[in-house]
Amino acid sequence: MTATALRHDWTLQEARDLFNLPFNDLLFRAQSVHREHFDPNEVQVSTLLSIKTGACPEDCKYCPQSGHYNTGLEKEKLLEIEKVVAEARAAKQKGASRFCMGAAWRSPSKKDMPYVLDMVKQVKSLGMETCMTLGMLKEEEARELADAGLDYYNHNLDTSEKYYNHIITTRTYQDRLDTLDNVRRAGMKVCCGGIMGMGEDEDDRVGLLVQLANLPQHPESVPVNMLVKVKGTPLEDVEDLEPFDFIRMIAVARIMMPASHVRLSAGREQMNEQMQAMCFLAGANSIFYGEKLLTTSNPEADADMQLFAKLGIRPEQRQQCATEAQEEEVLAEAVEYEATRHMFYDATRESA
Ligand code: SF4
């Protein structure tokens, strides 16, 4: 089967037409495109650690980490390198191969850059892939991060250019596009997506996807977030998103960026299993676990493994490096365990 060619010339009307397809037609088309590029029963799993939390000078209206809003979030300074490396090592021991580090900054300061570069080098030296989100990057900073060994950079466009200033006023859409450009030119992989349910309309969702799909190169990873309404942020009372609109967004993203990983990201905890399953059917093939992923007795991770087992989904198998294979093995074992554990009698537990 010839795979659908990647396009970078999508028009708004073409994207609107996709959104307006009957739901079953849209899902069928998205799933067909998905199967041309990916194993439909594999989902990539990523992990995330906040290396600096809260007190961000930006005013993103959805974000509890913004210093403009009082959300009661506990602020944390930049984590010491030793702590970050210890977390990365612990994650590696549990089988993780990619370590994503996020800092609530407008952009990394001159003072913080050496620490961040050292973090990248040290995590990389554990044999792990590295990913960071640090805010806006200049060309020089992007190059330094790439030289230190950073593999992926996350920087979201959030919404359409038209709706953007309803959500953020402290930096422009063009600032974000410039950062993405700097990341690409430095040779790093791009993780870039948006957030649904911020009061935007369908044309804003269309606008965001056209913007992403028409970048010179599609982002390797496209996180699609559902707004988590946090008390104290300006969006705390925004109207709930219609779940079918979210699933449509996933499906249209899959069709327009057929070879990218479409990530079911923030807001997943609010989705029931059936909705997550429909998102996978629509072409989502990546999920984010929290920083406690892979540590023992993490109920969220357990629930994810159970859902994978119920759906016959495996963590994505990739062959790039030994550590990734190790990660997949650990996760695959967890899924296998969830699928079969009812067949075993646990002799370590006392009978009632
Ligand atoms: S830049 Fe990032 S951390 Fe800062 S307010 Fe916006 S989303 Fe939150």
Side-chain angles (χ1 to χ4, degrees):
M1 182 169 39
T2 336
T4 309
L6 304 190
R7 288 181 49 194
H8 302 270
D9 58 352
W10 288 91
T11 65
L12 291 169
Q13 193 52 49
E14 282 177 305
R16 275 184 209 122
D17 291 346
L18 288 173
F19 269 95
N20 292 328
L21 281 172
F23 189 74
N24 287 344
D25 290 350
L26 175 61
L27 254 67
F28 179 74
R29 187 154 160 200
Q31 178 62 207
S32 305
V33 169
H34 187 54
R35 284 166 185 259
E36 291 173 5
H37 292 269
F38 294 101
D39 181 324
N41 298 311
E42 285 188 352
V43 169
Q44 180 199 41
V45 179
S46 302
T47 68
L48 176 66
L49 173 71
S50 175
I51 57 168
K52 188 265 171 185
T53 307
C56 180
E58 302 292 306
D59 69 349
C60 310
K61 289 193 170 56
Y62 52 83
C63 182
Q65 303 212 56
S66 167
H68 294 255
Y69 319 123
N70 187 4
T71 59
L73 184 82
E74 214 172 297
K75 303 174 187 70
E76 284 173 17
K77 288 197 197 127
L78 182 61
L79 283 188
E80 287 158 22
I81 293 178
E82 293 71 29
K83 281 194 186 152
V84 175
V85 175
E87 291 278 353
R89 192 174 287 119
K92 189 188 171 193
Q93 274 165 6
K94 295 284 182 184
S97 68
R98 188 180 306 166
F99 199 62
C100 307
M101 295 158 270
W105 284 329
R106 175 176 169 78
S107 54
S109 71
K110 268 207 155 44
K111 172 172 71 69
D112 289 322
M113 244 349 235
Y115 292 100
V116 166
L117 295 175
D118 205 15
M119 256 176 219
V120 174
K121 283 181 195 149
Q122 293 207 35
V123 173
K124 190 87 182 164
S125 74
L126 299 176
M128 305 184 87
E129 267 193 325
T130 50
C131 170
M132 278 190 162
T133 179
L134 312 170
M136 293 186 286
L137 290 186
K138 298 194 192 78
E139 203 177 332
E140 178 61 23
E141 292 158 343
R143 210 168 325 111
E144 283 176 342
L145 285 164
D147 288 348
L150 191 66
D151 300 295
Y152 287 80
Y153 196 79
N154 163 263
H155 198 63
N156 290 330
L157 287 175
D158 288 350
T159 187
S160 68
E161 186 164 13
K162 179 165 64 70
Y163 195 62
Y164 181 83
N165 62 6
H166 293 265
I167 302 297
I168 300 121
T169 65
T170 48
R171 61 182 168 197
T172 66
Y173 210 69
Q174 189 57 48
D175 287 334
R176 298 212 177 200
L177 290 169
D178 290 346
T179 292
L180 293 175
D181 194 37
N182 290 336
V183 169
R184 268 296 179 221
R185 278 194 284 146
M188 289 184 282
K189 293 183 180 135
V190 168
C191 172
C192 181
I195 307 173
M196 313 296 102
M198 301 191 294
E200 77 286 347
D201 62 23
E202 188 180 287
D203 237 32
D204 294 313
R205 294 173 199 146
V206 163
L208 171 63
L209 289 184
V210 167
Q211 187 77 50
L212 290 169
N214 288 353
L215 288 170
Q217 201 178 333
H218 294 166
E220 280 78 5
S221 169
V222 181
V224 182
N225 299 280
M226 187 165 79
L227 176 71
V228 178
K229 294 185 233 177
V230 180
K231 207 166 161 29
T233 61
L235 296 183
E236 66 173 300
D237 292 323
V238 78
E239 211 180 310
D240 278 345
L241 180 70
E242 162 62 56
F244 288 117
D245 288 344
F246 185 86
I247 299 166
R248 280 181 183 276
M249 183 76 179
I250 298 270
V252 178
R254 165 53 62 226
I255 293 168
M256 292 173 69
M257 291 168 279
S260 302
H261 278 86
V262 176
R263 176 174 294 160
L264 203 48
S265 213
R268 196 167 60 84
E269 301 73 24
Q270 274 79 47
M271 296 173 199
N272 64 23
E273 289 189 332
Q274 292 78 5
M275 180 165 170
Q276 292 186 55
M278 290 212 93
C279 290
F280 293 138
L281 185 65
N285 63 343
S286 173
I287 61 168
F288 241 143
Y289 275 128
E291 61 196 78
K292 292 200 178 70
L293 167 74
L294 303 177
T295 55
T296 49
S297 74
N298 174 355
E300 274 172 32
D302 286 351
D304 287 331
M305 286 305 118
Q306 283 173 27
L307 179 59
F308 275 20
K310 283 182 199 175
L311 300 178
I313 285 177
R314 302 174 299 275
E316 188 182 85
Q317 302 287 331
R318 280 165 300 153
Q319 302 305 324
Q320 288 98 317
C321 67
T323 50
E324 283 201 356
Q326 192 190 354
E327 172 190 23
E328 308 305 354
E329 205 178 303
V330 169
L331 291 169
E333 273 172 18
V335 172
E336 174 70 16
Y337 172 73
E338 288 302 338
T340 56
R341 67 176 175 170
H342 63 281
M343 296 162 64
F344 299 104
Y345 165 69
D346 184 354
T348 61
R349 290 181 57 183
E350 285 177 28
S351 53

